[in-house]
Amino acid sequence: MNDFMEYCLKRFYRASSWNEDNQYSNLCSWSHAILDFHTPRGLSLVISKLPTPQFKPSYTLNALPTLNGSLGYLYTSRPLDIETSATVDFQDLIDRFRIVVKEPTKTHATEDYRVNPDYLLYGRMFFPGARLEAMYVRRISEHLQCSITAVNSPRTYASPQVAMQLQYDVDKWCSECSFTSDDGLLGLRALYNFGQPVSSGQWSIGTEMYYGILDKSGGLSTGIRYRTLPTSNTAPVSFTYTLNPIVGHMSTSYTAKVSEQLVMGSRFDFSIYSYESDLVLGFEYRTKSKSPTIETDVDQDGVITLTADRTEKLEGLIKSSWGFTKGLSLMWEGRFKNTIFSLGLTADLRNLNPIRTIGLEVQYFS
């Protein structure tokens, strides 16, 4: 499940018509959602408020295994349509297999972002320890965006860690330039999409190059992806292949939507130099509500109109993945009255005590 602040960040991208899926870092987003989901640990409670469309505070309390928490604030230049935890669209809040349909850009070509800036400010302090976390996202133009993230811990005497990223996206291709201050890592990423968006499927190829200024070392990775488009009449499928020639690691993944409720995925990792390999299998099962919801509308004359919405909505999600290295992961996400919960565990079936972690996370915002 996405954190409330992460959910607000995704809503900001959607409101500003920025397609974060068209990036090399999200080349394997479909398989990551099925196979690499994060399960909660211990007992966590997240309470958030919606005082204004631009300003949103959030409070987190973790009771187990240790007592800690955080206090965060988020501000956006444009209003964000965030509903309460009782009425929010459940499928937008969770990290799941999703088919991204790029919404038409509402920004006019004559709009000047220097006059009407589009930005997001976020800050959070963790207790105990008073560790600080901050983010600044700025839309420079219709195709250009920059983001700055920083982390500072007063318990360490090291300077704050700052990461900067500049992204340029024109739908057909996207490039990224990044820099991190702690290790002086400079990186370049690019993703190019072949074919036309109206076709049944689309091939994409991307690469990443990075160089460490301090340790004088570099790296390279490349990847290719085939994915069916929303306009296709066939079942959604995705195939990816990534290769890091310097460390000798290659990975292939396949994800397919078997039915309206079931999505399955697999990934095979192989090391060219050590011949070590790993296989990961997983699935995602969705439960939907079939009962119609009643919507009430009152006009100026006081006439009440009741409308029955018979659209099936996502109410729950069950995830499971298993791999030779990571073991077994199970998670159940759903809604209980006015709250949204996530219950999960990880286990290693080869041990006598197989349970590694178990946790429950509850989110409430109004």
Side-chain angles (χ1 to χ4, degrees):
M1 181 186 300
N2 289 323
D3 183 75
F4 178 77
M5 293 300 182
E6 296 175 349
Y7 170 63
C8 292
L9 178 62
K10 294 180 179 295
R11 294 293 299 183
F12 173 77
Y13 287 150
R14 180 183 300 182
S16 59
S17 300
W18 183 263
N19 184 14
E20 60 175 332
D21 194 61
N22 193 34
Q23 299 173 6
Y24 179 74
S25 55
N26 295 324
L27 184 75
C28 306
S29 59
W30 284 15
S31 60
H32 283 326
I34 303 297
L35 306 175
D36 301 321
F37 57 90
H38 296 282
T39 59
R41 297 187 177 185
L43 180 61
S44 301
L45 176 63
V46 180
I47 300 177
S48 307
K49 297 291 293 182
L50 307 173
T52 65
Q54 289 87 5
F55 178 72
K56 297 167 183 64
S58 180
Y59 316 97
T60 304
L61 178 63
N62 301 317
L64 295 173
T66 58
L67 183 62
N68 57 74
S70 65
L71 172 65
Y73 297 95
L74 183 141
Y75 180 82
T76 56
S77 58
R78 64 169 61 220
L80 297 182
D81 185 16
I82 306 295
E83 301 183 38
T84 64
S85 56
T87 60
V88 67
D89 194 351
F90 181 70
Q91 63 182 358
D92 290 339
L93 187 62
I94 59 177
D95 185 16
R96 62 178 179 87
F97 166 86
R98 66 181 70 235
I99 301 176
V100 178
V101 180
K102 189 177 185 302
E103 300 178 356
T105 305
K106 301 178 182 179
T107 305
H108 300 285
T110 57
E111 183 176 350
D112 191 353
Y113 282 89
R114 292 174 298 180
V115 179
N116 301 312
D118 205 359
Y119 60 89
L120 177 144
L121 287 171
Y122 155 78
R124 175 179 291 184
M125 176 176 288
F126 296 86
F127 301 100
R131 183 170 66 92
L132 293 176
E133 185 179 84
M135 171 182 284
Y136 174 69
V137 180
R138 174 67 178 264
R139 190 72 175 272
I140 301 175
S141 66
E142 182 181 355
H143 303 292
L144 192 62
Q145 176 179 274
C146 72
S147 64
I148 302 175
T149 58
V151 178
N152 181 36
S153 179
R155 292 188 175 182
T156 60
Y157 295 98
S159 59
Q161 301 177 6
V162 181
M164 295 172 287
Q165 192 173 48
L166 185 65
Q167 303 169 333
Y168 184 78
D169 185 6
V170 291
D171 292 339
K172 189 69 175 179
W173 59 275
C174 177
S175 60
E176 306 171 68
C177 178
S178 61
F179 175 78
T180 56
S181 63
D182 56 338
D183 52 2
L185 189 64
L186 180 65
L188 295 174
R189 296 172 180 170
L191 179 70
Y192 183 82
N193 302 311
F194 295 92
Q196 299 296 326
V198 294
S199 59
S200 60
Q202 190 174 58
W203 287 92
S204 303
I205 186 172
T207 185
E208 177 187 31
M209 297 178 291
Y210 47 92
Y211 178 76
I213 300 176
L214 300 181
D215 54 7
K216 308 299 181 181
S217 63
L220 172 68
S221 69
T222 183
I224 190 171
R225 176 185 68 191
Y226 174 79
R227 176 184 294 184
T228 55
L229 297 176
T231 55
S232 174
N233 295 326
T234 61
V237 297
S238 174
F239 167 79
T240 61
Y241 172 79
T242 58
L243 172 66
N244 191 323
I246 296 180
V247 299
H249 176 265
M250 64 172 61
S251 176
T252 60
S253 66
Y254 179 77
T255 308
K257 187 177 181 181
V258 181
S259 64
E260 290 296 328
Q261 289 79 26
L262 182 62
V263 180
M264 304 186 72
S266 63
R267 183 178 63 228
F268 179 74
D269 298 304
F270 181 75
S271 177
I272 302 175
Y273 302 140
S274 64
Y275 300 105
E276 294 182 352
S277 61
D278 186 30
L279 176 65
V280 184
L281 305 173
F283 72 88
E284 176 183 283
Y285 183 78
R286 311 177 182 186
T287 59
K288 298 183 178 181
S289 62
K290 298 182 179 180
S291 58
T293 58
I294 306 300
E295 297 181 357
T296 305
D297 184 22
V298 182
D299 58 12
Q300 297 179 354
D301 298 331
V303 179
I304 301 176
T305 304
L306 300 179
T307 305
D309 185 7
R310 300 182 180 274
T311 305
E312 292 187 357
K313 296 183 179 180
L314 184 65
E315 289 294 334
L317 192 70
I318 299 175
K319 283 186 175 186
S320 176
S321 69
W322 175 84
F324 287 101
T325 303
K326 64 177 292 185
L328 178 67
S329 298
L330 294 173
M331 186 167 63
W332 174 33
E333 297 175 300
R335 192 198 307 270
F336 179 73
K337 294 185 178 180
N338 295 334
T339 63
I340 297 176
F341 69 89
S342 176
L343 177 64
L345 66 86
T346 60
D348 186 359
L349 303 181
R350 296 171 297 184
N351 295 335
L352 296 178
N353 297 322
I355 302 299
R356 290 177 177 173
T357 62
I358 186 170
L360 172 65
E361 179 182 347
V362 180
Q363 293 196 36
Y364 174 80
F365 42 94
S366 62

